[in-house]
Each structure stands twice: as structure tokens, then as C-alpha cells.
Amino acid sequence: MTLLRSLAGEASPANIDRRPLVGREPWWRARTGDHRVIYRRLTRDEARILAAPLGGVFVERVIDRRDLEGTTKRL
């Protein structure tokens, strides 16, 4: 998935429609077609444990856009 590669590769990719989830820090949503990707950046400790590069992301869910509001209430 190109979107996931872009999220993991850059701190702030300019070509992606992404926004912070209001009241749900540190979660973000990225839009791809009719789906939304709910994600957050890995913390330093998580990146170290997973041997992942800093700037890596943890994807909580990929959901249909109609389910975004209900899903974010449970974060």
C-alpha cells in the first residue's frame, strides 16, 4: 500500500490527505479513497524495541469512511 509506505517514510508527507483526530492525540487519520487509516507515530521506545526507523507508524485500523466516527470514539 503506497499510503502506508509514504506515512512511514516521511515525517509530514505533503501528498497525503491526513489530519489529526481532534481530542484523540496522538492519533491521525489518512484518507485513501473510501477508506481511512487510523495511525500514530511510534515512540522512541517502540521504535527501539521493534528495530524500526524513527518516524515509523503504528496502524490501528483501516476502515470504511462511514465507520470513522464510531471507531475513533473507542481510541
Side-chain angles (χ1 to χ4, degrees):
M1 193 178 231
T2 305
L3 173 70
L4 296 178
R5 286 189 188 112
S6 295
L7 291 175
E10 298 180 33
S12 249
N15 63 338
I16 295 176
D17 180 5
R18 67 184 196 101
R19 296 190 179 167
L21 291 176
V22 177
R24 303 282 188 239
E25 281 190 30
W27 297 100
W28 288 72
R29 74 101 180 116
R31 185 174 70 173
T32 179
D34 286 339
H35 293 87
R36 302 299 180 260
V37 177
I38 308 299
Y39 73 98
R40 67 173 171 78
R41 296 265 171 232
L42 291 175
T43 65
R44 287 184 189 266
D45 289 337
E46 290 169 338
R48 182 180 49 78
I49 290 167
L50 297 171
L54 283 178
V57 295
F58 171 76
V59 174
E60 172 67 24
R61 292 193 182 165
V62 178
I63 58 172
D64 188 277
R65 65 185 174 87
R66 291 173 284 178
D67 300 328
L68 180 64
E69 189 174 330
T71 300
T72 58
K73 287 180 181 179
R74 290 180 241 134
L75 291 177

